[in-house]
Amino acid sequence: MPHAERRYNGAMNASTATVARLAPSPTGAQHIGNARTFLLVWLAARRANARLILRIEDIDSPRVKPEAVAQIEEDLRWLGLDWDVGPIYQTQRLPLYEQALSQLRAAERVYPCTCSRSDIANAASAPHADHEGPVYPRTCAHRRAADAESLGRPFAWRFRVDHSPAFVDGFRGPTYVDLSQVGGDFVVWKNSATPAYQLAVVVDDAAMGVTEVIRGDDLVASTPRQLLLYEAFGWSAPRFTHVPLVVGTDGRRLAKRHGDTRLAALRHAGVSAPALLGLLAWSCGWLDTITPITLPELLPLFRWQTLPPSAFMLRPEYLKAIGYEP
Ligand code: GLU
Ligand code: ZN
């Protein structure tokens, strides 16, 4: 019974075993793109005899949808994916994040920032090219952590970026993102009094003894930030592996405008899990044609070498091949 160990007791990082995680954000329903990443994480983990954790990243409060939280386990089970620990909910771990923040404050690694989004957009010198937003112009960097007490208005905590750690990605190889060009000093605690993704994910991965972080390559630029946090806390970092995303025919990340690719929709339309697994396996170069395959059959076929380095473009005819017309 893979789901027997329901509660995480904090005692898992004692061994040097391989530990991986599935870390869905319930900000919307899980779709074919999420399924492909889940599948890669699961196959890599099972092939490495890793312990696999399911962690629900539900701290992004205004964007989290309760119905999406409820669906995640059903979606994963439908695909046949299991896990050894969890689900663990980030919203139940706030004291850990608060403790980590106070550590950063005490070390003056963070400062209180009162800038609004438009303050930053107006002060930024260069137009920003991606979803990372403009480079933070360090308007508030002169502040000390203790200044927070006398501000009398909402503020976020920003981390002082002093370098950009390079890393060797498990799939992409040597990777470098210059943080002084991408985002700059980043938020670790939002002015809504909740931890930001960067802080929560590092605190959790460290506390849970995660050794393998496998996730979508939209998060490549997050990795140097997270490495800075590992350095600041004095924790050893996991290995990072970023996998290509699924995009629509317009080349953009899979979204509603590309039709209904939610796993629940496929399920309700009568698509079988092996049919979808066949499509995903084919997209990863493990099958020559789109034919149904079960998870146990797929396990020995998994390898990184055939995975195309660019995004997988989901075309309507591929969905047709598995009997689905959105
Ligand atoms: N929760 C994030 C997402 O669904 C993934 C975070 C991570 O893997 O570090 O995009
Ligand atoms: Zn500021």
Side-chain angles (χ1 to χ4, degrees), residues 111-116 119-120 136-141 143 158:
Y111 57 86
C113 168
T114 47
C115 299
S116 66
D119 289 341
I120 296 168
Y136 176 65
R138 301 199 121 181
T139 320
C140 303
R143 290 201 184 117
R158 277 189 193 271

